[in-house]
Amino acid sequence: MNAENKYIRFDWAVKRMLRDKANFGVLEGLITVLLNEPVHIVELLESEGNQEFADDKFNRVDIKAKNDKGEIFLVEVQLTREIYYLERILYGTAKAITEHINLGNTYNEIKKVYSINIIYFDLGKGADYLYHGQNKFVGVHTHDTLKISTKENGVIRMRMPEEIFPEYYIIRVNEFNQVAKTPLDEWLDYLKNGHIKDDTTAPGLQEARAKLQYLMLDKGDRNAYDEHLNAIMIQNDVLGNARLEGLAEGRAEGRAEGRAEGRAEGRAEGRAEEKNSIAKRMKQEGLDLEIIQKLTGLTKEDLSNL
């Protein structure tokens, strides 16, 4: 890829550039492709979910947006492994629901939430690169889907539970190994490889080609972006070594003691060492402490003890 076609990584753009209303089209395109219907974002929402402190447990949602129907979209990019990831996205969704209903409102004021999670780590076992989950109530004996009676504008109508309950999308970027043929494939190609076709018609990617070019950044942003890439490279290198060492120690201890607990403990210790090793290496490379905190999840106190 030549310099003229070098595009900013989505995980960096989502924190810096896509918060600008002029760039909403990129984010709208991704959501449109996932939901298979046009989505128009009217505003970004600020809450505890967007705090800036690296040691704040709410500092996980990269973008929280609202469309013209009042539905809420949580978009998050996660680079490093987290043990309780599913629990955390559930918490984030529940918090978004409660944040946007005022005391005294009736329950019909609750807005639907979409949780879109773009991950660059091994979440578990699964053959696909895109997973979608939503709530349905299915008869245990009849296997039919329950429809709920509700009143809207004075008229009783039937609604499906999935019209109300949150929906979750998990995009496993590293599992994508296909030729980009569909709009979704093209988005995954960009998320994983930074590649956008010159003749793309995928929603959002035309805007990305025009607005997320590396050469369009000013000098300060370009330096910050280069530092971000350097931090990711160091992190992935140290992460891979620490994981291998942790798994090796776990297997050795498990064989020696003949117990599953030995393997589990070895893996747990390996995961803990991952973050410490990553942070230590980054400090040695002279990276900014705030960037190290964001990438590893360690606190200032943790870093000072390394």
Side-chain angles (χ1 to χ4, degrees), residues 6-284:
K6 183 178 180 181
Y7 300 106
I8 304 302
R9 282 174 56 105
F10 187 80
D11 62 282
W12 195 83
V14 82
K15 295 180 181 354
R16 296 287 192 100
M17 305 172 71
L18 301 187
R19 298 181 182 279
D20 186 337
K21 190 171 184 178
N23 297 329
F24 280 5
V26 178
L27 190 61
E28 290 172 348
L30 172 60
I31 300 174
T32 293
V33 167
L34 288 175
L35 272 59
N36 199 29
E37 65 177 78
V39 172
H40 175 61
I41 293 174
V42 295
E43 65 175 314
L44 297 187
L45 302 170
E46 294 298 331
S47 72
E48 292 179 354
N50 302 91
Q51 291 188 22
E52 296 295 332
F53 303 103
D55 58 349
D56 190 324
K57 68 178 179 180
F58 301 131
N59 184 32
R60 296 301 183 181
V61 176
D62 291 314
I63 284 185
K64 182 161 70 167
K66 183 174 72 174
N67 67 4
D68 48 13
K69 294 188 289 186
E71 297 171 327
I72 298 170
F73 298 88
L74 308 179
V75 181
E76 174 189 329
V77 182
Q78 181 77 0
L79 299 177
T80 56
R81 182 173 58 193
E82 186 163 329
I83 299 175
Y84 301 112
Y85 190 73
L86 292 183
E87 291 85 347
R88 183 163 63 69
I89 63 176
L90 173 62
Y91 175 84
T93 303
K95 186 165 182 60
I97 293 172
T98 57
E99 280 180 344
H100 295 280
I101 183 169
N102 297 321
L103 186 64
N105 286 153
T106 57
Y107 289 122
N108 70 312
E109 299 295 326
I110 289 177
K111 301 302 182 183
K112 180 164 180 172
V113 176
Y114 295 86
S115 176
I116 300 171
N117 303 274
I118 303 169
I119 62 173
Y120 288 81
F121 65 94
D122 183 12
L123 183 65
K125 292 184 178 179
D128 210 331
Y129 58 83
L130 175 65
Y131 286 86
H132 173 232
Q134 61 183 148
N135 293 75
K136 294 182 179 180
F137 295 96
V138 179
V140 175
H141 304 98
T142 60
H143 305 294
D144 66 317
T145 301
L146 180 66
K147 297 181 180 180
I148 307 297
S149 299
T150 185
K151 188 174 183 179
E152 292 183 4
N153 300 321
V155 178
I156 300 295
R157 65 177 291 262
M158 306 302 291
R159 296 186 70 181
M160 303 297 288
E162 53 265 37
E163 295 180 60
I164 304 168
F165 283 90
E167 292 188 39
Y168 300 88
Y169 290 87
I170 296 179
I171 304 174
R172 305 167 71 215
V173 177
N174 293 338
E175 302 305 315
F176 176 76
N177 293 300
Q178 301 183 22
V179 176
K181 297 180 179 179
T182 68
L184 179 60
D185 291 342
E186 289 191 44
W187 259 100
L188 264 294
D189 192 20
Y190 165 55
L191 292 175
K192 182 175 182 178
N193 305 311
H195 176 250
I196 303 176
K197 293 180 178 179
D198 292 339
D199 60 349
T200 183
T201 59
L205 289 184
Q206 291 175 319
E207 290 85 349
R209 286 191 73 248
K211 298 179 178 181
L212 302 186
Q213 292 188 25
Y214 175 79
L215 293 181
M216 292 178 62
L217 298 177
D218 60 36
K219 184 176 180 181
D221 283 342
R222 196 178 300 176
N223 289 338
Y225 180 68
D226 290 341
E227 188 172 88
H228 174 70
L229 293 183
N230 189 36
I232 290 174
M233 292 177 63
I234 294 172
Q235 169 191 279
N236 290 339
D237 181 42
V238 178
L239 184 70
N241 291 335
R243 182 181 295 116
L244 290 174
E245 292 172 2
L247 289 173
E249 291 175 4
R251 293 191 187 100
E253 185 175 346
R255 286 193 297 269
E257 297 182 6
R259 298 194 309 268
E261 289 84 354
R263 292 191 297 272
E265 183 179 348
R267 287 193 294 268
E269 291 177 357
R271 284 192 291 267
E273 286 299 318
E274 284 179 8
K275 288 188 176 182
N276 291 335
S277 297
I278 291 169
K280 189 173 182 179
R281 175 79 175 274
M282 290 179 175
K283 285 182 67 176
Q284 292 172 346

